[in-house]
Amino acid sequence: MSYFMTDLSGTSVEEPDEATMRTILDGLADADDEHPDVSLTHENGWSLSAFPSGELLWLLWENLDDPDAPPRQLSGVSKDEVLRLFGLLATGETAEIERLASS
């Protein structure tokens, strides 16, 4: 397994396709304080979590395997852009996400 996605209820889906990613992301409409986010995690340790923030989304970019890598945030991200970033992370292409999170 090279990546997995976690839905709002905490269930993991191994290597979801784009349609499944969109369905999981759409689940954020039902987010609450106990279940606030969905995420995609690559085997390299990088994870991108999405939280609802009005019409747009708020993202948390972090490496779960590297405690020295500081987590970063991206705000005001559209659902289509989140899906694009999830797709990049799924293939291990982290440079674009890193660039966005660092700006």
Side-chain angles (χ1 to χ4, degrees), residues 56-72:
L56 299 174
L57 301 170
W58 175 84
L59 303 177
L60 178 63
W61 173 240
E62 61 187 331
N63 190 310
L64 303 174
D65 294 340
D66 184 358
D68 295 328
R72 276 143 308 153

Side-chain angles (χ1 to χ4, degrees), residues 3-5 8 15 35 39 48 60 73 78 81:
Y3 67 96
F4 66 93
M5 197 160 180
L8 203 58
E15 300 188 359
H35 304 99
S39 64
L48 191 60
L60 178 63
Q73 304 173 19
S78 71
E81 178 67 356

Side-chain angles (χ1 to χ4, degrees), residues 11-23:
T11 301
S12 293
V13 178
E14 294 184 23
E15 300 188 359
D17 60 17
E18 184 177 342
T20 303
M21 288 182 193
R22 181 175 294 279
T23 299

